[in-house]
Amino acid sequence: MANDSTLDGTLVMLDASVEPQEQEDVRAARELAESLGLPFDPLDEFHVEPELFRTIPVDIMLRYQFLPLREERGVLHIVMVDPSDVLQLNEIELALAKPLETMVGPARRIADILEKSESTQRVLDEATEGFRLQLVQEAEDGEEVLSIDRITADSSPIIRLVDSVLFNAIQRRASDIHVETQDREVVVKYRIDGVLYQAMKAIDKRHHTTIISRIKVMSELDIAEKRIPQDGRFKVRYAGRTIDFRVSIMPTVHGEDAVIRILDKESTNAEFRTLNLEVLGFEDDSKRQLRKFINEPYGMVLVTGPTGSGKTTTLYACLSEIRSTEDKIVTIEDPVEYQLGGITQIPVNEKKGLTFAKGLRSILRHDPDKVMVGEIRDEETAAIAVQSALTGHLVFTTVHANNVVDVIGRFLNMNVDLYNFVSALNCVLAQRLVRKICSHCKRPAQVTDLLLEDSGLEPNRYRDFAFFEGGGCIECNGTGFRGRLAIAELLNLSDNIRQLIIDRRSAAEIKRAAKAEGMRFLRESALQKVFAGETTLRDINKVTFVE
């Protein structure tokens, strides 16, 4: 969805469960309105009027902290923090050349709406007027510093363009920025909650080289080399915190493409301090079983799924729940995405010879109680991890496989002794991520019989069921989704399942036995989320098979 379409008719819904500070802000604004004899607007719901917003310079709205409501008979109705400031009112009237009618609104909510609805979007709009793009600025300490003021003040259009793209991506919670080169244009996309959205209108192809060169300069890559892939990284200072960006440049038939991964460690550190299995969205029985396995004295806890399915986050949640001053927990990761207090974390450095296998061997001489291996990729790492689990360590690791049964085949292909592997394994957790319906614009959904049939549901039974969807609001950038939930299937290695694996029985037979023992499959977990009104049928159909 293009960025400039998300404002049309947008309804800004603010969370009813406001913090005490915000409640105090609302109370103070209400008292001010009463003392001035002016109307009060709590701004619980605010309808953005796109055309009206675009006629008012963004710097004026930000400077005087007001929101335009509507224009009637040449009079502009606005809601602002303090209409008693006559000088401010005169300056706004002079700047806009219109008479004003004022209302009082809470300061925090006005600032919040301005930030979410207009400031970053308008900066992008203005940047793309000349050639459809904008963004970045160097600081004295060598890091990049991003702010609206710096972006608008920069003299180079390309630098402003790239800076604006980065700034807007951070504001919109994007995990990746894609710069895609096509036949006659360059398209910039953001990956938000696992899905790509076009960030702005397409840019003329003639600006492609300078955009890629700017990204290369920031990442300290060779701007003259255009025939082979290049990888780099850079850091940005934004809102008092440091954000890491990993850059991948890839040559294509139309020119070079760039993908920028955003690693906002400091903003997520607060979440990770309180991260546990509760916040991931697992069902109660899955959480209960998983907690049992991660508290075992030794063995292997294996999490599987495709790239981007939240495997590492689940392992971090497990480690956060079990870490204590009595245990030594050591991890080896590629890269260390988030730093956890009280845990020794080691980054893989293959250029210097520090591979998963070598690192894991060294970790075992470091007297650990619990070990996390970011990913098992080769025979040597697999063999050492299994041996570690058999010799008294609790090992957490991930492997790429589609479901809990496919994992067994992956390890057999890595020539791991089947008996040792089954003996070491405590459980296998397969997971996916589905998008969560935005709580601010959640509404009942109309589901067609065709969608029900495609989802493996009987239309006669579910035709009148209360399904939900997101209508699209300022909080979710018009997508109808905000955040993601984990769906999972957990295989408990019971004596019966272990024997079936050792006997090399078929995957279908192992699944039937697991089902008989109460295992819930991925599709069943996904449907539970739909029936609970947390996600949609279309979204689960993207990540799970209809059985």
Side-chain angles (χ1 to χ4, degrees):
M1 179 181 298
N3 222 18
D4 58 345
S5 67
T6 59
L7 292 176
D8 296 336
T10 300
L11 171 64
V12 181
M13 296 289 290
L14 293 172
D15 199 339
S17 57
V18 292
E19 299 176 356
Q21 284 183 328
E22 195 167 340
Q23 291 176 338
E24 176 63 26
D25 193 43
V26 172
R27 186 189 63 77
R30 184 177 278 110
E31 289 178 357
L32 177 63
E34 289 174 0
S35 67
L36 296 175
L38 291 173
F40 169 72
D41 188 345
L43 296 175
D44 291 328
E45 297 184 4
F46 177 73
H47 288 273
V48 175
E49 297 289 346
E51 295 308 316
L52 182 59
F53 261 67
R54 278 165 167 64
T55 61
I56 299 172
V58 68
D59 60 323
I60 294 177
M61 288 192 286
L62 290 169
R63 189 186 316 150
Y64 298 112
Q65 290 293 291
F66 72 90
L67 296 169
L69 297 175
R70 61 189 180 280
E71 188 172 350
E72 293 178 350
R73 298 172 185 171
V75 177
L76 182 64
H77 293 252
I78 65 172
V79 55
M80 62 187 301
V81 177
D82 186 10
S84 65
D85 190 331
V86 179
L87 286 175
Q88 267 199 8
L89 279 175
N90 287 340
E91 287 175 15
I92 298 171
E93 285 190 335
L94 282 171
L96 301 181
K98 292 176 183 175
L100 301 177
E101 280 288 335
T102 58
M103 299 176 70
V104 182
R108 288 165 66 95
R109 295 191 180 181
I110 289 175
D112 192 41
I113 291 169
L114 276 173
E115 180 182 344
K116 288 178 179 173
S117 65
E118 274 303 308
S119 59
T120 56
Q121 179 61 42
R122 285 282 291 281
V123 169
L124 272 179
D125 286 348
E126 290 164 12
T128 57
E129 281 177 6
F131 55 83
R132 305 248 193 276
L133 262 175
Q134 222 175 347
L135 217 82
V136 162
Q137 180 70 30
E138 298 284 340
E140 62 282 349
D141 58 1
E143 292 181 326
E144 306 292 330
V145 179
L146 284 180
S147 70
I148 291 179
D149 294 338
R150 286 182 179 272
I151 292 168
T152 54
D154 204 298
S155 58
S156 166
I158 287 294
I159 291 178
R160 286 194 297 122
L161 170 59
V162 177
D163 284 354
S164 300
V165 171
L166 297 178
F167 184 88
N168 198 238
I170 296 165
Q171 294 285 86
R172 295 183 62 188
R173 304 177 298 108
S175 61
D176 300 84
I177 303 166
H178 289 238
V179 180
E180 299 178 356
T181 311
Q182 298 178 3
D183 189 19
R184 296 184 178 179
E185 59 192 20
V186 179
V187 177
V188 178
K189 297 178 181 177
Y190 295 149
R191 186 177 295 281
I192 303 171
D193 293 333
V195 178
L196 285 173
Y197 298 97
Q198 192 166 323
M200 60 188 73
K201 293 176 183 175
I203 304 155
D204 194 299
K205 176 85 176 276
R206 70 177 184 270
H207 303 291
H208 160 258
T209 304
T210 48
I211 293 167
I212 297 295
S213 294
R214 172 58 185 164
I215 295 171
K216 285 182 178 179
V217 167
M218 293 168 66
S219 312
E220 298 182 350
L221 299 176
D222 184 355
I223 62 172
E225 180 56 73
K226 300 181 180 181
R227 295 163 297 179
I228 61 172
Q230 296 188 70
D231 295 317
R233 59 177 56 207
F234 62 91
K235 290 184 179 181
V236 159
R237 289 291 296 171
Y238 165 70
R241 66 182 191 266
T242 301
I243 301 172
D244 289 337
F245 294 82
R246 289 211 311 264
V247 178
S248 174
I249 307 289
M250 185 73 69
T252 71
V253 290
H254 297 300
E256 291 179 295
D257 280 12
V259 174
I260 305 172
R261 165 66 56 88
I262 302 171
L263 294 175
D264 195 353
K265 295 180 184 178
E266 291 181 35
S267 74
T268 52
N269 268 356
E271 299 170 26
F272 274 70
R273 277 195 291 273
T274 57
L275 180 69
N276 54 47
L277 296 176
E278 296 291 340
V279 302
L280 298 182
F282 292 131
E283 283 85 4
D284 290 340
D285 56 341
S286 295
K287 279 186 297 193
R288 187 173 59 253
Q289 289 183 64
L290 188 54
R291 281 199 174 104
K292 178 173 80 74
F293 294 124
I294 66 176
N295 283 289
E296 298 283 358
Y298 56 85
M300 181 184 286
V301 174
L302 192 56
V303 181
T304 184
T307 303
S309 59
K311 300 186 296 296
T312 305
T313 304
T314 297
L315 290 185
Y316 280 142
C318 292
L319 294 179
S320 295
E321 289 214 350
I322 63 171
R323 63 181 166 177
S324 74
T325 55
E326 298 175 355
D327 289 328
K328 175 82 167 183
I329 302 177
V330 187
T331 76
I332 181 161
E333 308 168 55
D334 183 22
V336 175
E337 293 192 13
Y338 304 104
Q339 294 166 12
L340 297 174
I343 293 176
T344 303
Q345 295 176 272
I346 302 167
V348 164
N349 189 339
E350 294 193 359
K351 289 181 181 177
K352 300 293 185 183
L354 178 55
T355 61
F356 274 116
K358 286 187 178 178
L360 185 51
R361 285 189 189 278
S362 298
I363 285 173
L364 296 177
R365 295 193 290 270
H366 213 68
D367 188 29
D369 297 289
K370 298 171 174 64
V371 176
M372 173 181 143
V373 183
E375 184 184 345
I376 290 181
R377 300 173 179 170
D378 55 66
E379 290 183 23
E380 191 179 1
T381 310
I384 302 169
V386 169
Q387 201 60 39
S388 305
L390 289 172
T391 54
H393 300 93
L394 184 60
V395 179
F396 296 86
T397 189
T398 73
V399 69
H400 285 159
N402 287 326
N403 55 56
V404 292
V405 180
D406 289 349
V407 169
I408 299 156
R410 283 298 307 275
F411 273 83
L412 290 178
N413 288 337
M414 288 189 276
N415 295 320
V416 173
D417 182 82
L418 183 58
Y419 184 82
N420 284 346
F421 173 59
V422 172
S423 300
L425 204 55
N426 289 351
C427 69
V428 183
L429 178 78
Q431 72 175 60
R432 302 287 189 277
L433 293 177
V434 293
R435 290 183 294 171
K436 188 177 181 181
I437 295 172
C438 175
S439 60
H440 297 86
C441 57
K442 186 175 178 179
R443 66 186 186 191
Q446 295 293 324
V447 178
T448 63
D449 287 0
L450 180 60
L451 179 58
L452 289 172
E453 289 172 2
D454 289 345
S455 305
L457 300 177
E458 176 57 48
N460 291 332
R461 181 178 176 186
Y462 290 98
R463 189 174 289 124
D464 298 323
F465 189 85
F467 293 98
F468 290 91
E469 66 182 2
C473 67
I474 208 75
E475 295 289 338
C476 60
N477 291 302
T479 64
F481 297 95
R482 185 174 174 84
R484 288 189 285 179
L485 292 165
I487 57 171
E489 59 185 20
L490 183 65
L491 179 64
N492 177 2
L493 269 289
S494 64
D495 291 340
N496 182 35
I497 298 293
R498 288 181 202 272
Q499 192 58 52
L500 289 174
I501 296 171
I502 291 170
D503 292 342
R504 296 179 183 264
R505 298 296 182 89
S506 68
E509 192 171 347
I510 295 171
K511 282 185 177 182
R512 281 197 297 272
K515 179 72 173 175
E517 292 180 9
M519 183 176 125
R520 180 193 295 110
F521 294 112
L522 277 171
R523 183 67 184 182
E524 295 171 311
S525 176
L527 285 171
Q528 277 200 329
K529 300 293 185 194
V530 173
F531 297 150
E534 295 178 283
T535 189
T536 65
L537 286 173
R538 283 190 178 87
D539 216 57
I540 68 165
N541 289 347
K542 292 178 183 177
V543 296
T544 60
F545 289 106
V546 178
E547 295 175 357

